Amino acid sequence: MKLRTLAAALVPALLLATTACGSSSDKQSKNPQGQDKVTLTLNWYPYGEHAPFYFGKKQGIFAKHGIDLTIQAGQGSQKTVQATAAKQTDFGWADTPALLSAVSQGMDVKSVGVFLQTTPSSVQFFSDKNINSPADLKGKTIASTAGDALSKTFPAFLKANGLSEGDVTLQNTDPAGKMAAVMSGKTDALLGFATDQGPTMQEKAGKPVSYLKFADNGLTFFSNGLIASTDTIKDKQDLVKRMVAATSEAWSAAEKDAGGAVAAMAGASQQLPSEKVLTDQFSATVQLLHTDATKGQAPGVNDEADWTKTITVFADAGVITKAESPSTYWDASFAPKG
């Protein structure tokens, strides 16, 4: 596996199709109650990480901020970033590495706040594999998806732990097939989010799953956050401000009522995990909301130095060709209060 820039991988031939698209004009459509009709495209099909959006909608938090929110499933952060840049959706929920790469390619999109400030990226495997440290990955076969952010940052994880790319074998698998590859024994492990596949795999297989988390093994960086096109940020500043504020409030409320947040996801998707898996996923997710620099602050408040660290990680890994200032990728003016 060779480390290359994400240029080819992050520009799919077709834009993400959405059933309800954001307006490309300055005028935002409204519902009969006068609330702005807003679309949010997730990074993937709904899972526990997304509970705050459903909870915020159910509890009227978005409505309080004048937003009639429609939540749409995504097909990976790269497609969500591209759809947001193309204004096919008003806002996106996407992984920061995909955003950095897109901006470096000239896409007109920015972060308006990273919420998951420690990456859940991890190597996942059944505990009976006796993998206790990165060194134990030597000779192992790992399911990954070519071109996604995880496969592109994995070499940096290996390097941080004294391993080379040749020490492991990556088996290219579509995102939906990675769990099946591990459960069938075709691979020893998979690359994924500790907040996503692990709890599902554990439930389906009936045996414990363990993780080597990137953040616990020398490689930490920003993960998912709220993004918008540069035109939306410029032309609809009040809407962006309200969306960020409502999202922050929804995350705070969900953190205080995890049971209610998980329950709010009922019916969100035909692929929705069980309530137990959703609970495990959300519990793991809320641990990622802050760094040492943002503890005690509202969800979605970012520290510029943390941005710089993330940018440096991906410049050093070759995911972006040049490390620009944080303001190139992030508009700090919408930071939530409280």
Side-chain angles (χ1 to χ4, degrees):
M1 183 184 66
K2 295 183 179 179
L3 183 64
R4 288 173 279 178
T5 62
L6 285 172
L10 291 185
V11 186
L14 297 175
L15 297 178
L16 174 66
T18 56
T19 56
C21 298
S23 171
S24 60
S25 68
D26 289 350
K27 187 176 180 181
Q28 193 76 14
S29 58
K30 296 182 182 293
N31 68 9
Q33 290 73 43
Q35 298 165 347
D36 291 308
K37 297 175 72 174
V38 170
T39 53
L40 170 71
T41 299
L42 303 174
N43 57 311
W44 194 242
Y45 296 102
Y47 60 94
E49 175 184 305
H50 306 128
F53 293 109
Y54 292 91
F55 189 59
K57 183 173 180 177
K58 184 175 181 180
Q59 293 295 311
I61 293 172
F62 287 97
K64 183 183 76 174
H65 288 270
I67 292 171
D68 178 4
L69 185 66
T70 296
I71 305 168
Q72 301 173 159
Q75 299 176 14
S77 285
Q78 295 92 335
K79 289 186 178 181
T80 295
V81 172
Q82 187 166 0
T84 306
K87 293 182 284 187
Q88 292 185 316
T89 182
D90 294 307
F91 296 93
W93 178 257
D95 202 18
T96 301
L99 171 75
L100 296 180
S101 182
V103 173
S104 73
Q105 296 166 44
M107 291 190 201
D108 295 324
V109 62
K110 277 190 174 184
S111 171
V112 290
V114 174
F115 283 75
L116 305 189
Q117 297 176 14
T118 301
T119 179
S121 298
S122 64
V123 186
Q124 306 179 28
F125 42 85
F126 289 120
S127 302
D128 58 15
K129 286 289 182 181
N130 292 318
I131 298 172
N132 301 306
S133 71
D136 296 327
L137 295 176
K138 195 166 185 177
K140 297 294 192 292
T141 299
I142 303 171
S144 68
T145 300
D148 71 1
L150 273 160
S151 68
K152 292 299 180 179
T153 53
F154 187 53
F157 170 81
L158 293 173
K159 183 178 179 181
N161 289 281
L163 297 171
S164 68
E165 296 175 44
D167 286 331
V168 300
T169 299
L170 291 187
Q171 181 171 304
N172 184 29
T173 309
D174 66 87
K178 288 192 288 189
M179 286 192 296
V182 176
M183 288 189 290
S184 67
K186 291 181 179 178
T187 66
D188 300 297
L190 63 80
L191 293 180
F193 279 3
T195 53
D196 184 3
Q197 295 96 338
T200 298
M201 197 160 58
Q202 185 166 281
E203 181 182 69
K204 287 185 175 181
K207 57 182 182 178
V209 170
S210 296
Y211 310 86
L212 290 177
K213 297 178 181 178
F214 287 18
D216 293 339
N217 291 277
L219 191 68
T220 185
F221 48 86
F222 277 166
S223 185
N224 287 351
L226 200 63
I227 63 173
S229 72
T230 53
D231 280 349
T232 297
I233 290 171
K234 180 181 69 174
D235 298 332
K236 302 177 181 180
Q237 293 185 22
D238 179 66
L239 175 64
V240 177
K241 184 176 181 180
R242 285 185 282 120
M243 181 64 179
V244 174
T247 300
S248 181
E249 187 176 335
W251 276 86
S252 292
E255 190 175 11
K256 295 172 184 173
D257 184 5
V262 168
M265 295 195 73
S269 167
Q270 291 184 340
Q271 295 90 359
L272 196 69
S274 71
E275 185 175 344
K276 182 185 184 305
V277 169
L278 289 171
T279 300
D280 290 345
Q281 290 172 331
F282 182 62
S283 296
T285 298
V286 294
Q287 298 174 33
L288 310 176
L289 281 174
H290 304 286
T291 65
D292 289 342
T294 60
K295 281 181 180 176
Q297 299 189 61
V301 173
N302 296 172
D303 178 74
E304 187 170 350
D306 288 336
W307 265 100
T308 299
K309 291 175 187 175
T310 293
I311 294 163
T312 301
V313 165
F314 291 102
D316 290 347
V319 172
I320 56 176
T321 55
K322 182 182 177 183
E324 304 284 356
S325 67
S327 62
T328 302
Y329 314 98
W330 164 56
D331 192 320
S333 65
F334 301 102
K337 310 298 181 185

